[in-house]
Amino acid sequence: MEKLEKSMLESLSSDIRLMNELPATKKLAELKKQYDETLDSQERVESNEATNTRNRELSREFARRGAVCFHVMQYMREVNPLYQVSYAQFEQLYDAAIAHSESQQLTPISNRWLVLGFEAQRAEETLEKITYMAYTTFARGLLERDRFIFTLLLAIEVEDSLGNIGPGEREFLVSPNYSSVVMTKLGYTQPPDSKIVQMKKPFDWMHDDQFHNLQVLATHFEWFQEKFERMPKDGREMEWRMLCDNVEKEPENMPLPDKMDSKDFAPMKRLLVVRAVRSDRLMQASTVFIQRVLGKNWFNVNLKKEYSGYYGDMGLDLSAMYKQSATVPPSTISLPILLLYTFEAEAAQSRFIDFSNRKQAQRHMITVTDNSQATRSKVRKVIRKAVSEGSWVYIHHAHNAPNVLNSLESFLAEKPNPEGFRLWVASQADPGVIPVRLLQNSIKAVVDTPKVMKDSMIRSFSWFEADILRQSSRPEWPVMLHNLCYLHAAIQLRARYGQGGWNCPQDFYSIGYNCLQEALAIVQNEFKEPLNCVAPDGSQMPRPVSYNGIRYMVAEIVYGSYVTDFYDQQSLCAMVDFWLSSGALKRDFEVKGLKYRHPQAFFNPNVRLNTLIQALDGAPNHYLDVPEGCHIHQTVVDELSATLLGDDQYVFTRLNKVFDSMPSTNTLSHKMFPRPPTPFDGPAQAGISKTSNNPSVVHQGVFSTASYATHKIRFKDVELWQICNDLLQKTPKIGNSSKSFREFVVEKIRKLPGDYPIFNDFIMKECEILHQLLTEVRHTLTLIRNACENNVMGDQLSDHYLSAADDLYHLRIPRIWCKMTGTTAPPYTYNAAQWLRDLEDRWKHFEKILSMGRKAMPAYWLGAFFNPRGLLALLKQEAIKSYCGDRSGNFEQFTFQTDTTFRDFGHLLQPPPEGVYIHGIHLWGCSIEKTTNEFQDQASRQGYAPLPVLHLQCYPINEKPALQEPSFQCPLYPSRIAPRDPIMEIDIKKEGIPPMRWALRGLTATIWPY
């Protein structure tokens, strides 16, 4: 260019007149032409260079996103070794996503796309395609609960790759206290005299833990400091109260105070603010975060095969799995298709048979029962035959033959696999049986039906036959299908609440889609038209739908065949009666407490199945996964009495475990814990929420660095000696120091009036159990305290005392003490000092009995007895003797009757003329109206209801007065965590309310409030 410019300047500056010299004019024209061509070439080079630079940067973005997805997949092995993926398989997935995006015809769909331009549109869609294909391919092979961990982890790491995650934010999401420890170690903190640290709780209605979490957020994160300081100013109280104290609306979807919803406020920051004040909505807030980061699925999908979005059920798209398992040159082996299950083995088989019938594929099915060499030879022979025919092989219960699973790859490599050949393997999801190589080189899917209510209903409808709506012309037929699917999902949801839902929840774990199919066949047969019956004259006459027959078959035959507990059967029948009735098919039918009604689409004539699925998919996430969703009472008063699923404890302790295994980065530091700390024995108390220590959910967590940090914060280097010394001072002293304890009790009993030798023996035994327990407590505490004083090493103590010392140091009641307490034992997480006070109250009650005797004792506290059933047996024995008199050979059964009184046990001075007074009983699921003494529904989110003094009488079973009125026999247990062997039954009745109403609510009573 410079040379051409110089030549042109020389020609123009010479003395030659261009108008008169034709050669000079031609030369100048040629130079100008060369200059223009060179300039045009340079512009094209620069344009191509800019394009290549942009493509290079886009390729880096694609590679970065692919690396994020692959690394997240790899780290999921920390959750379950079953989750394996090979790099070669992911590379094929990545190339397919890139190729798919390049082949798409892109047209701008909004002004946003027009602004970003063609390249930006292609780049964003390619990133979404990579992320979504990685998600769908890997997530379908995860168990339901672990799928949420994967999705949340993927969203967090995608945000981190975009620079939207700061140091300590991951830790705060897991636990604010854990984040405080880490950020203090990193130096991100405020001085003790700063305004933020010295600030007091500004509002009386705000809970202490809410303010503490906000203060931690402001202390360690600069982006929240100004907003925290402005919290009590300029009328912001109402905004914060709507977020912190609102139980009617969804706080995770509400606008944040102080304009924290602006575009420069990253989704992670929004999640942390909601997490700080509403730890009870942590799962819901995390779902909103996932949707904001990853978005909803932008592909047009058929809801019959898969579902949109990054949350919820994946569906079981066998067609897509079939395509992905095909041979990819240069390989000549097709990938096995691995169908995993926990309980529902028959679901895998039925899905395979349906799919092979649609594909009209020839199949060979093998059921494996042992791990013998004969089984291995049989499988090999069938596979070789199928390869030669180009047909399918299905191996059922493959986990029974680990040798076969280890040999499958060698079987497939014997000959090149033809295009039509496929190997299907159905196995239990057991990482100890399935080899890693098979997990990495296969197409995996979990076939278990979802346990989440919304997902379960959608999966059920998606598995229905396409002509299911044409099986009946009755207008209520779609609604009946809805009710049946809801009932099936509610039964499974109730099992997720453990003993808070069913007495024997393990009975319901194996209930799967086959049960729904059997119930559907019964209902479908009854809803066919015309329905006829035989008239008295022998002719055929029309008849209505027999709802009683439907309810009996579903409750007693289909689902009832799994039930082993009498009270569970009662509750199951109540649920079936509630949903499978003519009243449940009306438009105004509503689930009380949940305010859930049938979607309007189910009442539309000529509705399509896809429309019904879309109507179910429109329900908010987590909306139905609450206690009211399965008709039990919601209790969230304190950490011991709450009715919980424990999903947050399960998810976030494992998420923390994954973070512990990841390498250090600018936003994830392991400075506090260079190596993962050694797990300590006992439940993982990670401080996920204020209800994490609930005995029904605390064991769902796993040990991680948050557990260790929470332990350090709680104890603050408190010495074991100090713990033992404090508890020793609180241990009650019983008996008389001058006499042995037995002599002391015997002397007390001898002074009692009346002749009650059996009762006196019972009281003596109870006192001896309490004395033995307190002696063991005092001996253990003294020995551990002395060991601390004398620097005795742990190897010089027995395992018995080492275990007790470990429990005491972690503020748990030693398990040996709980074992001695029997069925009335508290959970391990119960406060030890409070437990000792409870033992002291027990001794005071025994002292009162020893001073007053059986005849004068006004009322009995059942919680004082280690064997309350023994006391009731004595009372029943006394009633039988009094009733029979001199008669002998009377074998009539006796039963208890309970009547509520208006009395306060503290003011009782005399026993009743007949029977006894008992008190200290807690009711779960209903309460008593104090003015009328009538039972009523317990208010939502309230805990147990203490019952007033009960008048307990014993009658022959045929003479019981309560038999004249319908009543519900409420079982009484020692506690909600005790074995489900009822001590007695309490009569619950209210005029106008059928007894099955209380069975539907799962009404129970306990002696202890945990």
Side-chain angles (χ1 to χ4, degrees):
M1 290 292 292
E2 293 179 358
K3 184 177 181 181
L4 289 173
E5 290 178 354
K6 184 177 180 181
S7 299
M8 291 172 64
L9 289 174
E10 289 177 354
S11 299
L12 292 173
S13 60
S14 63
D15 297 335
I16 301 174
R17 300 185 63 180
L18 298 177
M19 297 297 294
N20 297 332
E21 295 290 338
L22 184 60
T25 303
K26 289 183 177 181
K27 180 180 178 181
L28 185 61
E30 290 177 359
L31 291 174
K32 178 65 169 63
K33 183 178 179 182
Q34 292 179 15
Y35 180 84
D36 290 340
E37 290 177 352
T38 305
L39 184 64
D40 185 55
S41 298
Q42 185 176 2
E43 290 178 353
R44 287 198 303 269
V45 170
E46 292 176 352
S47 176
N48 291 337
E49 184 178 359
T51 301
N52 292 335
T53 301
R54 287 196 301 272
N55 290 337
R56 181 182 61 191
E57 294 302 320
L58 290 177
S59 298
R60 287 177 177 172
E61 290 294 325
F62 302 156
R64 185 181 295 112
R65 180 62 60 85
V68 167
C69 295
F70 181 70
H71 289 157
V72 169
M73 293 178 181
Q74 292 295 318
Y75 293 132
M76 285 299 294
R77 288 181 295 185
E78 296 294 327
V79 178
N80 191 331
L82 196 69
Y83 306 144
Q84 303 280 344
V85 61
S86 66
Y87 178 75
Q89 188 176 354
F90 180 80
E91 192 175 26
Q92 294 177 5
L93 180 70
Y94 178 80
D95 293 341
I98 298 294
H100 182 277
S101 298
E102 290 177 351
S103 64
Q104 293 295 307
Q105 181 69 29
L106 297 178
T107 56
I109 59 175
S110 68
N111 292 334
R112 178 168 177 262
W113 297 121
L114 292 172
V115 172
L116 292 177
F118 182 82
E119 292 83 1
Q121 178 185 0
R122 181 179 295 277
E124 186 160 348
E125 292 199 2
T126 302
L127 288 174
E128 290 182 359
K129 184 64 177 177
I130 293 172
T131 307
Y132 191 74
M133 287 189 67
Y135 168 76
T136 54
T137 302
F138 188 72
R140 71 185 174 209
L142 305 180
L143 298 175
E144 185 178 21
R145 267 182 157 183
D146 297 339
R147 192 182 306 127
F148 188 89
I149 301 176
F150 170 67
T151 312
L152 180 58
L153 181 62
L154 179 61
I156 292 173
E157 295 309 307
V158 166
E159 278 289 275
D160 184 51
S161 68
L162 299 176
N164 295 330
I165 302 289
E169 292 183 0
R170 291 182 179 89
E171 290 84 352
F172 191 92
L173 177 62
V174 174
S175 171
N177 290 334
Y178 173 44
S179 175
S180 178
V181 173
V182 173
M183 294 296 280
T184 302
K185 188 72 173 180
L186 295 176
Y188 296 95
T189 187
Q190 297 290 318
D193 58 347
S194 66
K195 184 178 179 180
I196 292 176
V197 176
Q198 296 296 324
M199 186 174 175
K200 303 298 182 183
K201 187 173 68 172
F203 313 121
D204 294 337
W205 50 262
M206 182 177 282
H207 297 292
D208 292 339
D209 64 311
Q210 291 177 331
F211 177 74
H212 168 73
N213 293 343
L214 290 174
Q215 194 171 40
V216 169
L217 195 62
T219 301
H220 302 292
F221 298 92
E222 185 179 355
W223 53 266
F224 188 68
Q225 292 174 2
E226 183 180 355
K227 296 173 174 57
F228 180 74
E229 293 175 351
R230 292 203 304 255
M231 185 169 60
K233 300 177 182 177
D234 302 330
R236 292 181 173 85
E237 178 179 359
M238 186 54 66
E239 295 179 357
W240 281 102
R241 186 163 191 174
M242 289 293 294
L243 179 66
C244 300
D245 203 32
N246 195 325
V247 297
E248 299 295 333
K249 297 183 180 179
E250 300 172 351
E252 61 275 5
N253 291 320
M254 294 175 58
L256 294 183
D258 209 357
K259 299 180 180 179
M260 285 188 284
D261 285 310
S262 58
K263 293 182 179 179
D264 57 344
F265 208 72
M268 187 65 172
K269 294 181 174 61
R270 189 185 198 283
L271 173 61
L272 297 187
V273 174
V274 178
R275 191 258 183 276
V277 297
R278 294 303 299 268
S279 61
D280 61 314
R281 304 285 296 182
L282 185 54
M283 294 294 293
Q284 293 85 341
S286 300
T287 303
V288 173
F289 168 76
I290 292 170
Q291 292 174 343
R292 287 174 178 261
V293 174
L294 301 179
K296 292 188 175 182
N297 181 16
W298 49 276
F299 303 101
N300 293 323
V301 271
N302 180 3
L303 288 173
K304 285 285 288 178
K305 294 183 178 180
E306 55 180 320
Y307 314 116
S308 60
Y310 287 85
Y311 174 80
D313 184 34
M314 292 296 302
L316 191 61
D317 192 354
L318 296 182
S319 178
M321 297 173 64
Y322 176 81
K323 294 177 181 178
Q324 291 180 357
S325 64
T327 56
V328 179
S331 175
T332 60
I333 302 176
S334 61
L335 294 177
I337 300 175
L338 193 57
L339 303 179
L340 303 173
Y341 58 86
T342 52
F343 295 103
E344 301 180 50
E346 303 308 319
Q349 185 173 359
S350 62
R351 291 297 96 198
F352 168 77
I353 293 175
D354 291 345
F355 182 66
S356 61
N357 289 337
R358 291 201 304 270
K359 286 287 187 179
Q360 297 181 352
Q362 183 182 356
R363 60 178 183 260
H364 303 275
M365 302 184 67
I366 310 172
T367 299
V368 176
T369 58
D370 55 37
N371 194 30
S372 63
Q373 184 63 32
T375 300
R376 184 179 182 276
S377 301
K378 179 181 178 182
V379 172
R380 181 184 182 187
K381 181 178 179 180
V382 173
I383 291 178
R384 294 182 66 178
K385 181 180 180 181
V387 169
S388 61
E389 296 175 350
S391 56
W392 294 0
V393 176
Y394 176 82
I395 305 177
H396 196 49
H397 294 313
H399 57 275
N400 290 330
N403 289 338
V404 171
L405 294 176
N406 284 314
S407 305
L408 286 179
E409 188 175 8
S410 62
F411 293 166
L412 295 175
E414 292 180 357
K415 292 182 180 180
N417 298 165
E419 182 179 353
F421 170 77
R422 290 294 187 277
L423 175 61
W424 303 74
V425 181
S427 170
Q428 275 191 348
D430 185 357
V433 173
I434 307 176
V436 173
R437 188 166 181 83
L438 178 60
L439 291 171
Q440 290 187 344
N441 297 282
S442 62
I443 306 299
K444 301 178 289 294
V446 174
V447 300
D448 289 337
T449 54
K451 300 300 185 288
V452 175
M453 288 281 291
K454 173 183 171 181
D455 296 341
S456 177
M457 295 173 68
I458 292 176
R459 173 75 73 89
S460 298
F461 269 86
S462 67
W463 281 7
F464 284 159
E465 296 294 335
D467 62 343
I468 186 67
L469 295 178
R470 295 195 293 271
Q471 297 301 311
S472 176
S473 59
R474 296 177 181 269
E476 64 270 19
W477 174 238
V479 186
M480 191 64 179
L481 291 177
H482 168 277
N483 289 2
L484 193 61
C485 293
Y486 189 103
L487 172 65
H488 178 77
I491 291 172
Q492 293 179 318
L493 174 63
R494 202 157 179 161
R496 293 175 61 195
Y497 284 102
Q499 289 188 342
W502 302 107
N503 281 348
C504 299
Q506 65 275 7
D507 293 344
F508 298 86
Y509 292 158
S510 56
I511 289 179
Y513 185 69
N514 284 347
C515 291
L516 180 61
Q517 285 183 313
E518 293 176 14
L520 176 63
I522 294 170
V523 175
Q524 184 175 331
N525 185 62
E526 191 66 22
F527 267 70
K528 287 183 177 179
E529 291 187 345
L531 282 175
N532 295 322
C533 63
V534 180
D537 59 357
S539 62
Q540 295 290 321
M541 61 178 293
R543 68 171 179 88
V545 174
S546 175
Y547 289 100
N548 287 334
I550 292 176
R551 289 194 291 266
Y552 175 80
M553 293 296 294
V554 172
E556 300 290 342
I557 307 301
V558 179
Y559 292 101
S561 61
Y562 293 86
V563 181
T564 59
D565 184 84
F566 170 76
Y567 300 101
D568 284 347
Q569 184 63 43
Q570 266 192 328
S571 298
L572 176 63
C573 291
M575 293 178 68
V576 174
D577 291 350
F578 184 83
W579 282 104
L580 303 185
S581 64
S582 57
L585 305 178
K586 298 179 180 178
R587 288 177 180 267
D588 58 350
F589 178 78
E590 182 178 271
V591 180
K592 187 178 180 181
L594 190 62
K595 298 181 180 179
Y596 173 80
R597 293 192 174 189
H598 307 97
Q600 184 60 36
F602 284 85
F603 296 97
N604 296 338
N606 302 321
V607 68
R608 294 185 177 182
L609 191 59
N610 278 358
T611 305
L612 299 182
I613 296 177
Q614 291 174 0
L616 294 173
D617 192 44
N621 296 322
H622 308 282
Y623 175 60
L624 298 175
D625 297 304
V626 293
E628 285 91 344
C630 54
H631 310 292
I632 58 179
H633 177 67
Q634 183 175 15
T635 306
V636 289
V637 176
D638 54 59
E639 65 178 38
L640 289 180
S641 63
T643 304
L644 304 167
L645 289 174
D647 287 346
D648 53 352
Q649 177 80 351
Y650 180 92
V651 168
F652 287 92
T653 55
R654 284 163 176 78
L655 186 66
N656 184 209
K657 186 179 179 181
V658 174
F659 290 152
D660 293 342
S661 66
M662 297 170 66
S664 296
T665 63
N666 294 332
T667 60
L668 179 63
S669 173
H670 297 310
K671 186 176 181 180
M672 180 73 184
F673 307 100
R675 292 186 224 172
T678 303
F680 51 72
D681 190 23
Q685 299 176 334
I688 304 300
S689 66
K690 65 180 182 180
T691 57
S692 295
N693 290 340
N694 185 283
S696 64
V697 303
V698 66
H699 290 283
Q700 296 188 32
V702 295
F703 182 85
S704 57
T705 51
S707 304
Y708 190 79
T710 302
H711 163 72
K712 285 297 184 183
I713 289 177
R714 287 179 61 194
F715 309 129
K716 297 181 180 178
D717 298 327
V718 176
E719 294 184 359
L720 181 59
W721 180 91
Q722 186 66 42
I723 296 174
C724 294
N725 189 63
D726 292 344
L727 291 178
L728 270 173
Q729 296 178 6
K730 297 175 182 178
T731 303
K733 297 178 181 180
I734 63 176
N736 192 326
S737 58
S738 61
K739 302 178 182 178
S740 69
F741 181 77
R742 183 176 180 82
E743 291 176 350
F744 170 77
V745 175
V746 169
E747 183 178 345
K748 285 278 189 179
I749 290 177
R750 284 175 181 172
K751 297 179 182 180
L752 293 177
D755 184 19
Y756 298 95
I758 300 179
F759 178 83
N760 294 338
D761 289 344
F762 172 75
I763 294 300
M764 176 173 284
K765 185 176 181 181
E766 289 286 326
C767 292
E768 287 180 346
I769 293 175
L770 179 60
H771 179 256
Q772 292 173 4
L773 176 59
L774 291 175
T775 301
E776 173 66 23
V777 169
R778 189 174 290 106
H779 176 70
T780 302
L781 293 174
T782 303
L783 190 145
I784 295 174
R785 185 183 65 176
N786 294 339
C788 294
E789 291 174 349
N790 300 323
N791 295 322
V792 175
M793 303 301 290
D795 57 356
Q796 300 179 30
L797 295 176
S798 66
D799 293 340
H800 171 87
Y801 296 110
L802 284 177
S803 175
D806 182 71
D807 287 330
L808 289 170
Y809 183 67
H810 292 96
L811 296 187
R812 300 191 302 261
I813 300 176
R815 275 159 284 191
I816 184 63
W817 299 354
C818 293
K819 186 177 181 180
M820 293 180 65
T821 310
T823 58
T824 61
Y828 296 152
T829 54
Y830 197 69
N831 185 276
Q834 179 61 46
W835 180 66
L836 291 177
R837 287 193 290 270
D838 293 340
L839 294 181
E840 185 176 8
D841 293 338
R842 286 184 172 194
W843 172 242
K844 290 179 180 179
H845 191 73
F846 289 154
E847 276 190 316
K848 189 174 182 180
I849 296 175
L850 291 174
S851 62
M852 302 185 71
R854 165 71 183 91
K855 189 173 183 180
M857 187 66 184
Y860 293 91
W861 172 36
L862 292 183
F865 299 96
F866 294 92
N867 181 24
R869 192 179 287 104
L871 174 66
L872 299 176
L874 289 176
L875 299 177
K876 186 177 290 188
Q877 185 181 35
E878 292 177 4
I880 293 174
K881 287 183 178 180
S882 175
Y883 180 83
C884 295
D886 297 330
R887 290 173 292 177
S888 61
N890 190 313
F891 295 101
E892 187 171 5
Q893 291 186 350
F894 276 64
T895 186
F896 288 114
Q897 173 171 304
T898 59
D899 297 294
T900 56
T901 69
F902 290 93
R903 297 174 178 269
D904 182 4
F905 72 89
H907 296 87
L908 287 174
L909 301 178
Q910 298 292 331
E914 295 183 5
V916 295
Y917 290 133
I918 59 175
H919 65 88
I921 295 176
H922 309 85
L923 206 57
W924 303 80
C926 77
S927 61
I928 283 213
E929 211 287 319
K930 294 183 179 180
T931 58
T932 62
N933 223 21
E934 290 185 344
F935 292 95
Q936 61 183 7
D937 266 336
Q938 180 75 309
S940 179
R941 304 176 71 85
Q942 296 298 315
Y944 57 83
L947 278 178
V949 174
L950 293 181
H951 184 198
L952 180 66
Q953 295 175 279
C954 194
Y955 290 96
I957 196 168
N958 294 323
E959 299 179 15
K960 182 178 178 180
L963 291 177
Q964 309 303 323
E965 301 177 11
S967 63
F968 173 69
Q969 304 301 304
C970 176
L972 174 66
Y973 303 106
S975 67
R976 299 186 90 189
I977 61 174
R980 310 315 270 175
D981 186 12
I983 298 171
M984 60 173 290
E985 293 179 338
I986 299 174
D987 298 310
I988 305 292
K989 56 181 180 293
K990 182 181 180 181
E991 186 177 354
I993 296 182
M996 293 302 286
R997 164 73 172 278
W998 307 116
L1000 180 67
R1001 300 289 283 171
L1003 184 64
T1004 58
T1006 61
I1007 296 175
W1008 289 96
Y1010 44 70

